[in-house]
Amino acid sequence: MIKRYLYLALGFICVGLGFVGIFVPGLPTTIFVLVAAWAFSRSSERFERWLLEHPIFGSLIQNWRQYRGISIKSKVTAVGLIVPTFGATILLTNFPILADIGFISFGIVLCTFLVTRPVPPSPSTHQVIS
């Protein structure tokens, strides 16, 4: 019973962090949403279903679960936000050079990870078996 509440708490915390990550550069939305779906799958069918049916996050979770992939639109959006926000952070702040190098390295690793994930098939290419 305590495990269930811990998974629920983790799920809600990750949903919250994922939402904040939409607006805060450097806070990855996708990983938090995926962890929330995983936590809800172990604690609440209702909240797992809510995430799976969510208009923004649902397809992201389903694509990851089925194909370990990220859609081209999500990749372009993510990289298109990561590069300018990381760049602006580096240019507009007065962090030490080592912090800037770390930030650049993290951005490169993050973008490389996103770009190298497989692209799930589009809904129009799914075959219906009758």
Side-chain angles (χ1 to χ4, degrees), residues 24-27 81-93 95-111:
V24 176
L27 194 61
L81 290 171
I82 290 167
V83 171
T85 54
F86 277 43
T89 301
I90 291 165
L91 293 173
L92 300 175
T93 59
F95 291 133
I97 189 72
L98 286 177
D100 289 342
I101 292 169
F103 211 56
I104 290 168
S105 300
F106 177 67
I108 290 170
V109 168
L110 183 57
C111 288

Side-chain angles (χ1 to χ4, degrees), residues 60-73:
L60 184 146
I61 296 165
Q62 291 170 1
N63 283 338
W64 186 257
R65 284 184 174 178
Q66 289 178 340
Y67 307 105
R68 292 291 186 244
I70 301 172
S71 71
I72 291 175
K73 180 181 176 186

Side-chain angles (χ1 to χ4, degrees), residues 64 68-70 75 79 108-119:
W64 186 257
R68 292 291 186 244
I70 301 172
K75 290 180 185 192
V79 173
I108 290 170
V109 168
L110 183 57
C111 288
T112 301
F113 175 81
L114 290 169
V115 170
T116 59
R117 295 308 92 201
V119 176

Side-chain angles (χ1 to χ4, degrees), residues 4-5 8 14 16 30 36 39 54 67 69 73 109 125:
R4 179 175 185 259
Y5 290 120
L8 270 174
C14 287
T30 302
H54 193 276
Y67 307 105
K73 180 181 176 186
V109 168
T125 61

Side-chain angles (χ1 to χ4, degrees), residues 1-61:
M1 187 66 137
I2 291 176
K3 269 174 100 169
R4 179 175 185 259
Y5 290 120
L6 289 174
Y7 282 127
L8 270 174
L10 177 64
F12 286 119
I13 289 167
C14 287
V15 166
L17 288 171
F19 179 75
V20 171
I22 294 171
F23 306 102
V24 176
L27 194 61
T29 299
T30 302
I31 190 68
F32 286 122
V33 171
L34 293 174
V35 171
W38 171 82
F40 287 150
S41 75
R42 283 155 177 70
S43 60
S44 172
E45 216 175 277
R46 175 180 163 208
F47 289 118
E48 180 186 24
R49 189 174 347 97
W50 169 73
L51 261 185
L52 289 171
E53 294 173 358
H54 193 276
I56 296 170
F57 302 132
S59 63
L60 184 146
I61 296 165

